[in-house]
Amino acid sequence: MSSANKADRKAAIDAASWMFNVVTSVGIILVNKALMATYGFSFATTLTGLHFATTTLLTVILRWLGYIQASHLPLPELLKFVLFANFSIVGMNVSLMWNSVGFYQIAKLSMIPVSCFLEVVLDKVRYSRDTKLSIAVVLLGVAVCTVTDVSVNAKGFIAAVVAIWSTSLQQYYVHFLQQRYSLGSFNLLGHTAPAQAVSLLLVGPFLDYWLTEKRVDAYAYSFTSVVSFCINCMNSG
């Protein structure tokens, strides 16, 4: 195969991968929003715990197949990561539950300047003038959306802020752990997914009740809600 054909094939695979990632990411957001808003499954923390339980099962299968090798991650580092990651994904789900899909997506753009801020403060990174101007445009767009979206409320805004900062910290810490302990993405997931599943499933029902005053065991399950729920869990990979 000529180098030109190889380049074309790689470009086609990359484009297909990006399209698949976009479609699945947008699809799962719409499924989650329908599950929470239309079918009333407002138990975001419990849903996240079950999501990571499925991820744990996937990592066990990958380890059995040889795709995940033995590695070491100190317990203090694992606990710090789980704290950031749990706040991140629970905050995102609660933000999606309490905000419109549009505001949820726009708010996620705030992670870009927050992540850059963390790199500047923690790693002394310096960005070019063009990058700073791009970040300013993002911040302006988020500000405009925040003040014009009539569906935004105080608790939804707080959930979005928690989600943005915890997700940015999680992303920074992922990079830090992978570099410091030479961990691939699957290896890191093999360490973190079981801890996240256990912690979220233990805390989830109580936190969800505190947030919604509803009990997950009293939810009226329907065929459609169960299908949506299963799609969410299967998206864990």
Side-chain angles (χ1 to χ4, degrees):
M1 184 181 294
S2 66
S3 58
N5 289 336
K6 288 182 179 179
D8 290 342
R9 184 171 180 271
K10 183 179 183 302
I13 293 174
D14 289 344
S17 299
W18 274 102
M19 285 297 297
F20 178 77
N21 184 58
V22 169
V23 170
T24 54
S25 297
V26 174
I28 198 61
I29 289 171
L30 295 177
V31 168
N32 279 357
K33 187 61 178 180
L35 188 60
M36 294 173 181
T38 305
Y39 300 104
F41 192 88
S42 54
F43 312 103
T45 312
T46 304
L47 181 64
T48 305
L50 291 166
H51 172 100
F52 276 103
T54 308
T55 303
T56 299
L57 178 60
L58 176 63
T59 60
V60 170
I61 295 173
L62 290 174
R63 184 177 287 109
W64 179 67
L65 292 174
Y67 289 102
I68 296 180
Q69 290 75 40
S71 57
H72 174 65
L73 181 63
L75 182 59
E77 301 281 29
L78 174 62
L79 294 178
K80 282 190 287 186
F81 177 87
V82 168
L83 179 65
F84 295 147
N86 284 357
F87 268 103
S88 167
I89 197 159
V90 172
M92 282 295 180
N93 279 343
V94 173
S95 175
L96 179 61
M97 180 173 64
W98 284 344
N99 296 313
S100 66
V101 173
F103 180 78
Y104 168 82
Q105 291 287 57
I106 291 295
K108 285 176 67 177
L109 291 176
S110 300
M111 288 188 295
I112 298 171
V114 171
S115 296
C116 294
F117 173 78
L118 290 174
E119 288 190 323
V120 169
V121 172
L122 300 177
D123 293 336
K124 310 302 179 185
V125 173
R126 293 292 178 265
Y127 290 100
S128 66
R129 179 175 175 272
D130 290 342
T131 301
K132 292 176 182 177
L133 288 174
S134 300
I135 293 172
V137 171
V138 171
L139 288 173
L140 178 62
V142 172
V144 170
C145 177
T146 301
V147 299
T148 57
D149 192 331
V150 295
S151 66
V152 178
N153 53 69
K155 64 181 184 179
F157 180 78
I158 293 172
V161 171
V162 171
I164 290 163
W165 276 92
S166 56
T167 301
S168 299
L169 284 166
Q170 180 206 8
Q171 291 176 347
Y172 177 85
Y173 211 52
V174 165
H175 180 69
F176 169 79
L177 292 177
Q178 287 182 323
Q179 282 197 323
R180 182 166 184 175
Y181 298 102
S182 301
L183 296 172
S185 56
F186 283 138
N187 293 84
L188 182 60
L189 197 62
H191 287 288
T192 60
Q196 287 185 261
V198 171
S199 58
L200 289 171
L201 288 176
L202 287 174
V203 174
F206 302 100
L207 180 59
D208 288 333
Y209 181 75
W210 179 69
L211 291 171
T212 66
E213 297 184 351
K214 297 177 182 178
R215 290 169 42 191
V216 65
D217 59 309
Y219 176 72
Y221 293 90
S222 66
F223 174 77
T224 308
S225 64
V226 170
V227 170
S228 301
F229 178 80
C230 292
I231 290 174
N232 177 282
C233 289
M234 287 188 293
N235 189 64
S236 58

